[in-house]
Amino acid sequence: SQIFEHISPADFFYRNRDIAGFSNPSRAIYSAIRELVENSLDAAESIGVPPDIFIRLTRIKESGRGVSVYELRVQDNGTGVPSQHIPSAFGQVLFGSKYRLKQSRGTFGLGGTMAILYGQITTHHPAHIISSTGDSRIYEYRLSIDIRRNRPIILQRKSLDNDHKWRGTIVEFRLEGDYFRAMPKVLEYLKQTAVVNPYANITFIDPRGRLYMFTRATTSMPPPPKETKPHPYGVDVEMMQRLIQSTDARDMLTFMVETFHRVGKSIAKNFLKFAGISPKRDPKKLRPDEVVHLVQKMKTFDEFLPPDASCLSPLGEELLKAGIIKEYQPEFIAAIQRKPSTYSGHPFIVEAAIAYGGNIPRKGDIVLFRFANRIPLLYDEASDVSWKIIKSINWRRYKATPDMPIAIAVHVCSTKIPYKTVGKEFIADRPEVSREILFAIRYVARKLQKFLTRVEYKQKELRR
Amino acid sequence: SQIFEHISPADFFYRNRDIAGFSNPSRAIYSAIRELVENSLDAAESIGVPPDIFIRLTRIKESGRGVSVYELRVQDNGTGVPSQHIPSAFGQVLFGSKYRLKQSRGTFGLGGTMAILYGQITTHHPAHIISSTGDSRIYEYRLSIDIRRNRPIILQRKSLDNDHKWRGTIVEFRLEGDYFRAMPKVLEYLKQTAVVNPYANITFIDPRGRLYMFTRATTSMPPPPKETKPHPYGVDVEMMQRLIQSTDARDMLTFMVETFHRVGKSIAKNFLKFAGISPKRDPKKLRPDEVVHLVQKMKTFDEFLPPDASCLSPLGEELLKAGIIKEYQPEFIAAIQRKPSTYSGHPFIVEAAIAYGGNIPRKGDIVLFRFANRIPLLYDEASDVSWKIIKSINWRRYKATPDMPIAIAVHVCSTKIPYKTVGKEFIADRPEVSREILFAIRYVARKLQKFLTRVEYKQKELRR
Ligand SMILES: Nc1ncnc2c1ncn2[C@@H]1O[C@H](COP(=O)(O)OP(=O)(O)OP(=O)(O)O)[C@@H](O)[C@H]1O
Ligand SMILES: Nc1ncnc2c1ncn2[C@@H]1O[C@H](COP(=O)(O)OP(=O)(O)OP(=O)(O)O)[C@@H](O)[C@H]1O
Ligand SMILES: [Mg+2]
Ligand SMILES: [Mg+2]
């Protein structure tokens, strides 16, 4: 007969590690490296410091059939983790500092912990964390994860003098994997990461002792993303109830102005009139059906201002083109940064670039580069919303044919990227986001069309 | 400065509902229907009863832009849910009866709850559950979900007389969606579900009042899947520690025999000798490094017997061919059921069929049907391991060209399907599983090759 049980989130991701991007030994190496590098980039950027990241992957011993036990060590000059939070940050799933409404690479609260968990189940070796927030102490932990209870087990804890006021984090742990199969993707990831984060220094020493240095091209950092308020468009009933629960506002007018992004008094007044709710009502006294009504009206009121781009950190057209130019020296390149838009309360910006010719390979299909919050997405291209949009476009309208050497780059930045997978492989088909990607690609496709028309014209001229 | 928080699993899937298959209004309708239908199929099969499933989707009101509020009602004649578990079964994420080592459609403990959660955040309407296990009472609940605490809120609970000894479950809730966009996929899902579960009656009334009846072709049920012990090959350190923790065995020989699938005394003796561990040792007294050593030796010991097929419930070659035959009347069809294999302790069986000609469309690509534990997988084909394998095969070797009308069906059954996504869209690239799929497809491809060779020969004969 049936046995009903509940399991912890760590147990869920342990049992379903394919879902977190740890399906096989080569994928595990890729996922572990990218999760730690993304944590380090977030950590340095959050204090406006150009990131210095050192990655070392050492082979400890062979396990057979291409698989070995490796030790991965990633060091950064970021914020560091406060001592009391180190065990949970690395030993508990669904714990972190990125649950705010702010653009960052991390979003789920489980990437770093998942990598350590995978290391633990394949090698049983505890994780070694050293960190300081730049104060007078450096903290050193050896941890393992109690997977069934989703909590860290502190095996050792030391506190050391921090005479040099070092600030940063070192994460070191062992895992079983297949680096040599993962290598092309790992190197491609680091290379593309360096391109869209040109202010970062990334150093990688691979198991054969080879040194890869991606030296920063600039020390100037883009304006950092800022925490923002939810945009009223697309807020759902649950979000609305939480906002009502946590507000100090005593009336609906103040609630609308204080709670939402770019809602001033006059817009708030007009909206409340449109929704038929008195501005004097106490938000906490709205009935459930009134809350539903308010949420539905928020979707159809068209006077809300679009989101302000300043809370986000897009690449900018120059940086988006830079990677393609460096790689392919195309004959033609065009880029666009769309105005900010919003889905489910989250502001986002789509940027796209298209390039033709040069050394772009002719592979019978457009070469697509995808980025989200400055992270390169290298897997499952065919499931990504950008790919589907490219496939849905009739390229002949733009004088482009499948045998032409064409490359497209798409970057989406947002307070929350709608990833379809926990492994952050590709972006889901959210209507507002796919619409923006479609418009961005059509815009640059029209620029390509003008170029191809001029080329065609010149060729005709030459033949005469 | 940084704010560290933890979130509940319900909050995680609320914030990341794209991950659970609820990205957009049409996808939400599809996901809600399939999650409830799969629960109903599991519930009836678990007591060996031919499933009778009634699905009704009613439009309540329009919300604008193609999106409406619908009411979804799914009724079955399955086991029913014991009264004390109804709130958690439907109102708590990561709770369920399918965490055992047994083949079933459900595996994560969140599908039904996720559908209800999505309904709640889009309509704020509580869920209505009626269920009885066939005893003297029927229980009726109205529930909502406390998302931040991942627990059910019981709004109403009634207990009614069950004079007719009814047994089953009715789940009724409202959600916002776009049925007309979802319709082709919903109907395809129900049709393919009926094909691979020919003993099930499925009735669907759509929002326009149209009745779709998929009447059972037989009342004979396949032998039900059985709960089994983990297979020793591919067990990891965490699993090993849990098995050691929960065993009653006082010595390693008894532990090996009682814990693992198809390990008898002589195999256990040989393995322990191979691993250099005395059969008399107390499992609970093994040192951590000895546990790691044992796990590694389990991967390389080649005398373990392959899994027994009897714990699994494959379709069988006839049933796998039946759907293709009915749909396309092909000129040629061949199928294979591979012997059981195992990954990470989970036994699995791969079945494949290939068909040529008849009404199979020539779409420049092979038509692929994918199934896992008798569930049709209709999304993200290009990310699925079966698709990748088909793409990696050099079909010219088998005399097949891309313009030929070829269809392939692949079914994987296992105590755990390695889904890549929580929405169960496609299967991850697990080495042991992809190997089996590759061999199965090659086998039927060789049969196709023989057929195409005969066809080619006959055509040459005719020309003379
Ligand atoms: N190198 C680091 N420097 C500073 N803080 C870190 C570092 N690595 C992890 N953290 C902290 O630990 C938390 C948990 O990290 P983890 O990677 O598990 O989740 P996340 O980054 O929040 O989200 P995601 O799962 O999307 O990566 C982070 O939110 C951050 O606060
Ligand atoms: N129609 C039903 N009849 C009987 N039991 C049911 C029914 N629907 C749900 N349940 C019970 O509720 C539990 C939770 O269902 P839910 O769909 O959330 O998770 P699951 O089916 O276990 O896994 P998955 O997330 O993969 O679907 C099930 O394990 C089952 O015990
Ligand atoms: Mg992270
Ligand atoms: Mg289910």
Side-chain angles (χ1 to χ4, degrees):
Chain A
S1 121
Q2 297 178 317
I3 299 177
F4 287 83
E5 320 167 60
H6 80 266
I7 61 171
S8 80
D11 205 352
F12 176 80
F13 287 109
Y14 159 64
R15 292 167 183 245
N16 300 296
R17 73 200 74 137
D18 305 276
I19 290 189
F22 287 85
S23 329
N24 58 54
S26 88
R27 196 62 181 271
I29 293 287
Y30 176 88
S31 297
I33 289 174
R34 65 89 58 104
E35 292 292 352
L36 267 56
V37 166
E38 289 162 19
N39 284 346
S40 295
L41 286 165
D42 278 345
E45 284 179 14
S46 67
I47 45 172
V49 161
D52 289 324
I53 303 176
F54 298 89
I55 308 157
R56 194 183 63 208
L57 189 68
T58 318
R59 180 159 21 172
I60 302 295
K61 62 173 153 105
E62 279 215 41
S63 316
R65 281 167 298 121
V67 173
S68 298
V69 172
Y70 295 92
E71 183 165 88
L72 174 61
R73 181 184 198 279
V74 176
Q75 175 167 347
D76 64 64
N77 60 342
T79 56
V81 185
S83 167
Q84 72 273 24
H85 293 310
I86 290 176
S88 294
F90 297 102
Q92 181 176 335
V93 162
L94 303 189
F95 180 91
S97 59
K98 300 169 198 169
Y99 289 129
R100 310 270 98 194
L101 205 62
K102 182 177 163 211
Q103 173 182 333
S104 59
R105 293 169 187 76
T107 173
F108 300 133
L110 57 83
T113 305
M114 197 58 214
I116 287 171
L117 191 155
Y118 183 82
Q120 177 172 316
I121 63 176
T122 53
T123 69
H124 199 60
H125 211 254
H128 185 207
I129 318 285
I130 301 171
S131 191
S132 175
T133 52
D135 61 6
S136 59
R137 310 300 300 165
I138 296 175
Y139 297 93
E140 181 176 6
Y141 282 83
R142 290 194 194 273
L143 303 172
S144 71
I145 303 174
D146 179 342
I147 296 176
R148 272 197 283 197
R149 293 209 197 91
N150 188 30
R151 50 176 208 217
I153 300 171
I154 301 173
L155 302 168
Q156 192 184 56
R157 180 183 178 284
K158 285 190 194 152
S159 160
L160 317 159
D161 277 323
N162 189 13
D163 309 321
H164 303 285
K165 290 282 175 276
W166 170 71
R167 184 202 62 238
T169 304
I170 303 173
V171 179
E172 203 174 62
F173 67 98
R174 293 187 186 183
L175 76 164
E176 213 174 52
D178 184 342
Y179 172 69
F180 296 104
R181 201 168 231 163
M183 190 163 101
K185 283 285 212 270
V186 169
L187 296 178
E188 186 65 24
Y189 174 84
L190 294 177
K191 176 170 145 196
Q192 290 190 22
T193 294
V195 165
V196 295
N197 303 282
Y199 43 81
N201 261 357
I202 300 175
T203 306
F204 172 47
I205 300 177
D206 82 1
R208 287 203 185 129
R210 282 184 289 216
L211 173 69
Y212 298 87
M213 287 190 71
F214 302 89
T215 315
R216 62 171 51 101
T218 169
T219 51
S220 81
M221 307 269 295
K226 301 200 223 92
E227 187 167 346
T228 183
K229 297 174 191 167
H231 192 274
Y233 174 80
V235 165
D236 59 56
V237 177
E238 170 75 13
M239 205 185 299
M240 196 59 164
Q241 292 190 309
R242 292 184 192 190
L243 295 168
I244 288 173
Q245 217 175 27
S246 58
T247 190
D248 299 327
R250 299 279 183 78
D251 61 83
M252 281 305 295
L253 186 71
T254 313
F255 172 73
M256 291 301 298
V257 170
E258 288 187 352
T259 304
F260 296 104
H261 180 80
R262 291 191 92 189
V263 172
K265 275 198 167 179
S266 79
I267 289 184
K269 276 207 183 90
N270 293 348
F271 168 71
L272 289 169
K273 192 165 173 205
F274 171 79
I277 302 253
S278 154
K280 296 202 176 63
R281 294 279 307 273
D282 180 348
K284 298 201 201 285
K285 296 214 166 70
L286 288 176
R287 295 189 313 271
D289 64 282
E290 291 179 305
V291 175
V292 178
H293 175 76
L294 202 67
V295 165
Q296 283 173 346
K297 288 301 187 189
M298 275 177 147
K299 287 209 194 106
T300 50
F301 182 71
D302 55 15
E303 290 173 40
F304 287 126
L305 298 174
D308 194 329
S310 68
C311 65
L312 295 173
S313 176
L315 294 177
E317 294 169 14
E318 289 317 302
L319 190 51
L320 190 62
K321 293 193 291 191
I324 299 185
I325 292 172
K326 187 168 170 203
E327 184 75 11
Y328 293 127
Q329 300 86 46
E331 299 160 45
F332 166 81
I333 187 162
I336 176 80
Q337 181 180 99
R338 295 276 301 169
K339 294 259 171 302
S341 183
T342 175
Y343 82 92
S344 293
H346 292 287
F348 70 93
I349 291 172
V350 171
E351 306 172 275
I354 199 165
Y356 176 91
N359 301 322
I360 294 173
R362 289 170 194 264
K363 54 173 195 122
D365 235 337
I366 291 175
V367 177
L368 174 62
F369 295 95
R370 298 170 288 138
F371 301 92
N373 283 0
R374 298 180 182 251
I375 298 172
L377 307 183
L378 301 189
Y379 283 92
D380 295 317
E381 172 180 78
S383 289
D384 192 289
V385 64
S386 295
W387 184 255
K388 294 181 181 178
I389 284 169
I390 288 172
K391 283 291 169 202
S392 72
I393 288 176
N394 177 9
W395 287 96
R396 296 191 178 283
R397 268 189 55 194
Y398 301 101
K399 300 195 175 293
T401 52
D403 62 307
M404 287 184 172
I406 295 174
I408 292 179
V410 178
H411 178 242
V412 181
C413 64
S414 177
T415 49
K416 181 161 210 67
I417 298 291
Y419 291 113
K420 184 108 184 109
T421 57
V422 172
K424 293 178 187 149
E425 279 105 357
F426 58 97
I427 293 179
D429 197 342
R430 281 273 187 150
E432 300 87 340
V433 177
S434 32
R435 189 166 169 275
E436 280 298 306
I437 294 173
L438 176 64
F439 289 177
I441 292 180
R442 275 188 190 158
Y443 180 93
V444 292
R446 284 194 294 271
K447 300 268 184 220
L448 176 68
Q449 176 182 10
K450 290 205 181 92
F451 167 78
L452 292 172
T453 308
R454 284 200 306 274
V455 166
E456 195 179 25
Y457 177 75
K458 284 187 186 142
Q459 285 175 345
K460 287 186 178 154
E461 288 291 293
L462 283 170
R463 276 180 227 138
R464 281 174 204 169
Chain B
S1 118
Q2 297 177 316
I3 300 179
F4 287 83
E5 321 169 57
H6 80 265
I7 61 172
S8 80
D11 204 353
F12 175 80
F13 287 109
Y14 159 64
R15 293 167 184 245
N16 299 296
R17 73 199 75 137
D18 307 275
I19 290 189
F22 287 84
S23 329
N24 58 55
S26 86
R27 196 63 182 270
I29 293 288
Y30 175 88
S31 297
I33 290 174
R34 64 88 59 103
E35 291 293 350
L36 268 56
V37 167
E38 288 162 21
N39 283 345
S40 295
L41 286 166
D42 278 346
E45 284 179 14
S46 66
I47 43 172
V49 161
D52 288 324
I53 302 176
F54 298 88
I55 307 156
R56 193 183 65 207
L57 190 68
T58 318
R59 182 163 13 176
I60 303 295
K61 61 173 155 120
E62 278 216 40
S63 317
R65 281 165 300 120
V67 174
S68 299
V69 171
Y70 294 94
E71 183 165 88
L72 174 62
R73 180 183 198 277
V74 176
Q75 175 166 348
D76 62 65
N77 59 343
T79 57
V81 185
S83 167
Q84 72 273 22
H85 292 311
I86 291 175
S88 294
F90 297 101
Q92 182 177 334
V93 162
L94 302 189
F95 179 90
S97 58
K98 299 169 199 170
Y99 290 128
R100 310 271 97 194
L101 205 61
K102 181 175 165 216
Q103 174 182 332
S104 60
R105 294 170 188 74
T107 172
F108 300 132
L110 58 83
T113 306
M114 198 58 214
I116 288 171
L117 190 155
Y118 184 82
Q120 177 173 315
I121 64 175
T122 54
T123 68
H124 199 60
H125 211 254
H128 184 207
I129 318 284
I130 302 172
S131 192
S132 175
T133 50
D135 61 6
S136 59
R137 308 302 298 169
I138 296 175
Y139 297 93
E140 182 176 6
Y141 282 83
R142 289 193 194 272
L143 304 172
S144 72
I145 303 173
D146 179 341
I147 296 176
R148 271 197 285 198
R149 291 207 200 94
N150 187 30
R151 48 176 210 218
I153 299 171
I154 302 173
L155 301 167
Q156 192 184 57
R157 180 183 178 284
K158 285 189 193 154
S159 160
L160 316 159
D161 277 322
N162 189 15
D163 309 322
H164 302 285
K165 291 278 174 279
W166 172 71
R167 184 203 61 240
T169 303
I170 303 172
V171 179
E172 204 173 63
F173 67 98
R174 292 187 186 183
L175 76 164
E176 214 174 54
D178 184 342
Y179 172 70
F180 297 103
R181 200 168 231 163
M183 190 164 103
K185 284 285 211 278
V186 169
L187 295 178
E188 185 65 23
Y189 173 84
L190 295 177
K191 176 171 146 194
Q192 290 191 24
T193 294
V195 165
V196 295
N197 302 283
Y199 43 81
N201 261 355
I202 300 175
T203 306
F204 172 48
I205 299 178
D206 82 0
R208 289 204 185 128
R210 280 182 290 213
L211 173 69
Y212 299 87
M213 287 190 71
F214 302 90
T215 314
R216 64 171 50 99
T218 169
T219 52
S220 82
M221 308 269 295
K226 302 200 221 91
E227 187 168 345
T228 183
K229 297 176 192 165
H231 192 275
Y233 175 79
V235 166
D236 58 57
V237 177
E238 170 76 13
M239 205 184 302
M240 196 59 165
Q241 292 190 309
R242 291 183 192 190
L243 295 168
I244 287 172
Q245 218 175 30
S246 57
T247 190
D248 300 328
R250 299 278 184 78
D251 59 86
M252 280 306 295
L253 187 69
T254 314
F255 172 74
M256 291 300 298
V257 169
E258 288 187 353
T259 305
F260 296 104
H261 180 81
R262 292 191 92 190
V263 172
K265 274 197 167 178
S266 79
I267 289 185
K269 277 206 183 93
N270 292 348
F271 169 70
L272 290 169
K273 191 165 174 204
F274 171 79
I277 301 249
S278 154
K280 296 202 176 62
R281 294 279 308 274
D282 181 348
K284 297 202 202 284
K285 297 213 166 70
L286 288 176
R287 296 189 314 271
D289 64 283
E290 291 178 306
V291 174
V292 178
H293 174 75
L294 202 67
V295 165
Q296 282 175 347
K297 288 300 188 188
M298 275 177 148
K299 288 212 194 105
T300 50
F301 183 71
D302 53 15
E303 290 172 41
F304 286 127
L305 298 174
D308 193 331
S310 67
C311 65
L312 295 174
S313 176
L315 295 177
E317 293 169 15
E318 290 316 302
L319 189 51
L320 189 62
K321 293 193 290 191
I324 300 187
I325 292 171
K326 186 169 170 205
E327 184 77 10
Y328 293 128
Q329 300 86 45
E331 299 160 45
F332 166 81
I333 187 161
I336 177 79
Q337 181 180 98
R338 296 277 299 171
K339 294 258 172 300
S341 182
T342 175
Y343 83 92
S344 293
H346 293 286
F348 70 93
I349 291 172
V350 170
E351 307 172 274
I354 200 166
Y356 176 91
N359 301 323
I360 294 173
R362 287 169 194 264
K363 57 176 194 113
D365 236 336
I366 291 175
V367 177
L368 174 62
F369 294 96
R370 297 170 289 137
F371 301 92
N373 283 0
R374 298 180 181 250
I375 298 172
L377 308 183
L378 301 189
Y379 284 93
D380 295 318
E381 173 181 76
S383 290
D384 192 288
V385 63
S386 296
W387 183 255
K388 294 181 180 176
I389 283 167
I390 288 172
K391 283 291 169 202
S392 72
I393 288 175
N394 177 9
W395 286 96
R396 294 191 179 284
R397 269 188 54 195
Y398 301 100
K399 300 196 176 290
T401 52
D403 63 306
M404 287 184 172
I406 295 174
I408 291 179
V410 178
H411 178 242
V412 181
C413 65
S414 177
T415 49
K416 179 160 210 70
I417 298 290
Y419 291 113
K420 185 109 185 105
T421 57
V422 171
K424 293 178 188 148
E425 279 107 355
F426 58 97
I427 295 179
D429 198 341
R430 280 273 188 148
E432 300 86 339
V433 176
S434 32
R435 188 166 169 274
E436 279 298 305
I437 294 174
L438 175 65
F439 288 177
I441 293 181
R442 276 188 191 158
Y443 180 92
V444 293
R446 283 194 296 272
K447 300 266 183 223
L448 175 68
Q449 177 183 8
K450 289 203 183 94
F451 166 79
L452 293 173
T453 308
R454 283 198 308 271
V455 165
E456 194 179 25
Y457 177 75
K458 282 185 189 147
Q459 286 176 343
K460 288 186 178 150
E461 288 291 293
L462 282 170
R463 276 180 228 134
R464 284 172 203 169

